[in-house]
Amino acid sequence: MQAWTPLLLAALVLCGCSKHEADKSRRAPSPAVTVTNPGQQIDAMRRGIPIDQEASPLPMARVENFDQRRPVNYEMQPPTIPHAIDNYQLTVNTNRCMLCHTRSNAAKFQAPPVSPAHYVTRDGQVLEQISTRRYFCVQCHVVQTDAPPLVANTFKGLEPEAEASPRAMP
Amino acid sequence: MTGGPVRRIVAGVLARLKPFWTTFRSPAVHLSLGFLTLGGFIAGVIFWGGFNTAMEATNTEAFCTGCHEMRDNVYPELQQTIHFSNRSGVRAVCSDCHVPHDWTYKMGRKMQASKEVWGKIFGTIDTREEFLEHRLVLAKNEWARLKANDSRECRNCHQYDSMDLTRQSRRAAWIHQNYLGTGKNTCIDCHKGIAHQLPNMKGIPQG
């Protein structure tokens, strides 16, 4: 998740509060929480719509496909995937991710190669092929969608300067 | 099991052709040369049309998925992919990728395909397991064919010159410009498994 989303959310909430404050004297109290984006309803299925009414589904969130590496939020975080991976075959027979992220192809495809740790077995043996414990990439690396976050988040990521310094690849 | 009906069909066709064959062999006695020439011409047109129509019939999805090997193995896989359902509503059927459009190439492929029908009749591939066992060999044939013809079947629908690179994802635009546009690679080098599940790819160069 991008670092700025919690900030943005906080700003939104603040704006909402002050407006609410000013209106209070003139109007009847409105509901305490106003969710501007129906996608942010925690009950994403019903979104507060009474049970006897039909809730029309929201548009599906789209996978972000910008090919721009996102900063990591903490040490050792597996970086998120900055592109769509629809229909990439990741089976016992083949690993589409490694078409580009394998060391030998990375430069050609302008993809960051997986770190050397991905070639080490749990017994510390260094392999030529990716280690089986790292084979299923999407166990740790995930795509991001444009879905708005459901709840505010106060998590503070790495300081920008820590981020800028070369980080040890796990 | 599959041999029975096929043999019966062949026998039926032969029986029907027999009278024609007898007539065909006897010399013309009462017919003028003009009639024969004109008649031959018209018959030729009809035959040619019929031949090509029959060829077309073997190009339909229904024909290709008519046998259980294809219906149960490759077809359901294709249905999961972008070439079956996409935002543009254009579907690639089996023959779009597997049969050349150009006539001479098409005939060549059809002759080859007859060998595959032979495989069908004598049951080289019967079960899913047998299919998976042969999949690598079959896939390698297709890769070799597409590599040799510079992915001609893909290019019937996708042309580099018509690709708006600014509308592609960045990584796609970059690699296409530098490796496809320069002719260093062809589609199948990088897009193996675009329509089917891949066999074990160990040791097979990709990209």
Side-chain angles (χ1 to χ4, degrees), chain B residues 14-27:
Chain B
L14 284 181
R16 281 217 206 148
L17 283 180
K18 197 144 191 211
F20 290 104
W21 180 241
T22 322
T23 322
F24 187 69
R25 279 170 46 114
S26 36

mmCIF file of all heavy atoms in Angstrom, chain B residues 14-27:
data_model
loop_
_atom_site.group_PDB
_atom_site.id
_atom_site.type_symbol
_atom_site.label_atom_id
_atom_site.label_comp_id
_atom_site.label_asym_id
_atom_site.label_seq_id
_atom_site.Cartn_x
_atom_site.Cartn_y
_atom_site.Cartn_z
ATOM 1 N N LEU B 14 -16.355 -45.331 -50.307
ATOM 2 C CA LEU B 14 -15.809 -46.110 -51.423
ATOM 3 C C LEU B 14 -16.929 -46.749 -52.227
ATOM 4 O O LEU B 14 -16.936 -46.718 -53.461
ATOM 5 C CB LEU B 14 -14.857 -47.183 -50.905
ATOM 6 C CG LEU B 14 -13.475 -46.645 -50.484
ATOM 7 C CD1 LEU B 14 -12.594 -47.783 -50.012
ATOM 8 C CD2 LEU B 14 -12.818 -45.897 -51.642
ATOM 9 N N ALA B 15 -17.929 -47.303 -51.508
ATOM 10 C CA ALA B 15 -19.043 -47.966 -52.185
ATOM 11 C C ALA B 15 -19.787 -46.978 -53.065
ATOM 12 O O ALA B 15 -20.169 -47.289 -54.200
ATOM 13 C CB ALA B 15 -19.982 -48.576 -51.146
ATOM 14 N N ARG B 16 -19.950 -45.739 -52.566
ATOM 15 C CA ARG B 16 -20.685 -44.753 -53.352
ATOM 16 C C ARG B 16 -19.884 -44.296 -54.562
ATOM 17 O O ARG B 16 -20.445 -43.917 -55.576
ATOM 18 C CB ARG B 16 -20.973 -43.536 -52.475
ATOM 19 C CG ARG B 16 -22.133 -43.814 -51.569
ATOM 20 C CD ARG B 16 -22.977 -42.609 -51.380
ATOM 21 N NE ARG B 16 -23.642 -42.745 -50.083
ATOM 22 C CZ ARG B 16 -23.938 -41.733 -49.324
ATOM 23 N NH1 ARG B 16 -23.621 -40.515 -49.713
ATOM 24 N NH2 ARG B 16 -24.549 -41.917 -48.185
ATOM 25 N N LEU B 17 -18.588 -44.303 -54.417
ATOM 26 C CA LEU B 17 -17.745 -43.786 -55.499
ATOM 27 C C LEU B 17 -17.610 -44.803 -56.641
ATOM 28 O O LEU B 17 -17.272 -44.432 -57.751
ATOM 29 C CB LEU B 17 -16.355 -43.436 -54.967
ATOM 30 C CG LEU B 17 -16.276 -42.122 -54.171
ATOM 31 C CD1 LEU B 17 -14.864 -41.877 -53.687
ATOM 32 C CD2 LEU B 17 -16.746 -40.949 -55.030
ATOM 33 N N LYS B 18 -17.889 -46.069 -56.354
ATOM 34 C CA LYS B 18 -17.613 -47.139 -57.316
ATOM 35 C C LYS B 18 -18.258 -46.898 -58.686
ATOM 36 O O LYS B 18 -17.569 -46.959 -59.713
ATOM 37 C CB LYS B 18 -18.047 -48.479 -56.752
ATOM 38 C CG LYS B 18 -17.421 -49.616 -57.512
ATOM 39 C CD LYS B 18 -17.071 -50.766 -56.620
ATOM 40 C CE LYS B 18 -16.217 -51.738 -57.419
ATOM 41 N NZ LYS B 18 -16.405 -53.105 -57.009
ATOM 42 N N PRO B 19 -19.592 -46.627 -58.785
ATOM 43 C CA PRO B 19 -20.197 -46.394 -60.113
ATOM 44 C C PRO B 19 -19.517 -45.252 -60.861
ATOM 45 O O PRO B 19 -19.291 -45.364 -62.077
ATOM 46 C CB PRO B 19 -21.650 -46.039 -59.789
ATOM 47 C CG PRO B 19 -21.848 -46.244 -58.351
ATOM 48 C CD PRO B 19 -20.547 -46.535 -57.710
ATOM 49 N N PHE B 20 -19.174 -44.183 -60.135
ATOM 50 C CA PHE B 20 -18.516 -43.044 -60.779
ATOM 51 C C PHE B 20 -17.185 -43.477 -61.376
ATOM 52 O O PHE B 20 -16.806 -43.084 -62.461
ATOM 53 C CB PHE B 20 -18.278 -41.912 -59.764
ATOM 54 C CG PHE B 20 -19.550 -41.241 -59.330
ATOM 55 C CD1 PHE B 20 -20.109 -41.502 -58.095
ATOM 56 C CD2 PHE B 20 -20.202 -40.358 -60.183
ATOM 57 C CE1 PHE B 20 -21.260 -40.906 -57.700
ATOM 58 C CE2 PHE B 20 -21.361 -39.740 -59.790
ATOM 59 C CZ PHE B 20 -21.901 -40.024 -58.542
ATOM 60 N N TRP B 21 -16.510 -44.255 -60.632
ATOM 61 C CA TRP B 21 -15.190 -44.732 -61.040
ATOM 62 C C TRP B 21 -15.310 -45.549 -62.324
ATOM 63 O O TRP B 21 -14.519 -45.379 -63.264
ATOM 64 C CB TRP B 21 -14.584 -45.553 -59.906
ATOM 65 C CG TRP B 21 -13.210 -46.099 -60.210
ATOM 66 C CD1 TRP B 21 -12.851 -47.396 -60.252
ATOM 67 C CD2 TRP B 21 -12.026 -45.350 -60.511
ATOM 68 N NE1 TRP B 21 -11.519 -47.517 -60.544
ATOM 69 C CE2 TRP B 21 -10.989 -46.256 -60.720
ATOM 70 C CE3 TRP B 21 -11.757 -43.986 -60.651
ATOM 71 C CZ2 TRP B 21 -9.691 -45.872 -61.040
ATOM 72 C CZ3 TRP B 21 -10.469 -43.606 -60.967
ATOM 73 C CH2 TRP B 21 -9.450 -44.528 -61.159
ATOM 74 N N THR B 22 -16.321 -46.415 -62.407
ATOM 75 C CA THR B 22 -16.526 -47.247 -63.599
ATOM 76 C C THR B 22 -16.776 -46.354 -64.809
ATOM 77 O O THR B 22 -16.172 -46.519 -65.868
ATOM 78 C CB THR B 22 -17.735 -48.188 -63.381
ATOM 79 O OG1 THR B 22 -17.699 -48.628 -62.023
ATOM 80 C CG2 THR B 22 -17.684 -49.367 -64.309
ATOM 81 N N THR B 23 -17.682 -45.365 -64.657
ATOM 82 C CA THR B 23 -17.981 -44.442 -65.747
ATOM 83 C C THR B 23 -16.732 -43.667 -66.133
ATOM 84 O O THR B 23 -16.448 -43.452 -67.316
ATOM 85 C CB THR B 23 -19.049 -43.422 -65.303
ATOM 86 O OG1 THR B 23 -19.983 -44.090 -64.479
ATOM 87 C CG2 THR B 23 -19.746 -42.806 -66.501
ATOM 88 N N PHE B 24 -16.027 -43.263 -65.098
ATOM 89 C CA PHE B 24 -14.848 -42.425 -65.288
ATOM 90 C C PHE B 24 -13.823 -43.114 -66.193
ATOM 91 O O PHE B 24 -13.192 -42.490 -67.025
ATOM 92 C CB PHE B 24 -14.249 -42.156 -63.892
ATOM 93 C CG PHE B 24 -13.117 -41.169 -63.897
ATOM 94 C CD1 PHE B 24 -13.346 -39.829 -64.168
ATOM 95 C CD2 PHE B 24 -11.814 -41.590 -63.624
ATOM 96 C CE1 PHE B 24 -12.300 -38.920 -64.159
ATOM 97 C CE2 PHE B 24 -10.768 -40.691 -63.627
ATOM 98 C CZ PHE B 24 -11.019 -39.346 -63.894
ATOM 99 N N ARG B 25 -13.707 -44.427 -66.015
ATOM 100 C CA ARG B 25 -12.687 -45.166 -66.754
ATOM 101 C C ARG B 25 -13.060 -45.422 -68.203
ATOM 102 O O ARG B 25 -12.195 -45.607 -69.052
ATOM 103 C CB ARG B 25 -12.419 -46.505 -66.057
ATOM 104 C CG ARG B 25 -11.470 -46.352 -64.868
ATOM 105 C CD ARG B 25 -11.420 -47.632 -64.083
ATOM 106 N NE ARG B 25 -11.264 -48.766 -64.992
ATOM 107 C CZ ARG B 25 -10.176 -49.526 -65.023
ATOM 108 N NH1 ARG B 25 -9.201 -49.304 -64.201
ATOM 109 N NH2 ARG B 25 -10.095 -50.531 -65.863
ATOM 110 N N SER B 26 -14.382 -45.464 -68.540
ATOM 111 C CA SER B 26 -14.769 -45.779 -69.921
ATOM 112 C C SER B 26 -14.662 -44.524 -70.779
ATOM 113 O O SER B 26 -14.992 -43.424 -70.337
ATOM 114 C CB SER B 26 -16.191 -46.340 -69.945
ATOM 115 O OG SER B 26 -16.968 -45.688 -68.964
ATOM 116 N N PRO B 27 -14.171 -44.655 -72.031
ATOM 117 C CA PRO B 27 -13.982 -43.491 -72.902
ATOM 118 C C PRO B 27 -15.303 -42.886 -73.337
ATOM 119 O O PRO B 27 -16.329 -43.560 -73.395
ATOM 120 C CB PRO B 27 -13.204 -44.069 -74.088
ATOM 121 C CG PRO B 27 -13.534 -45.527 -74.086
ATOM 122 C CD PRO B 27 -13.766 -45.912 -72.671
#
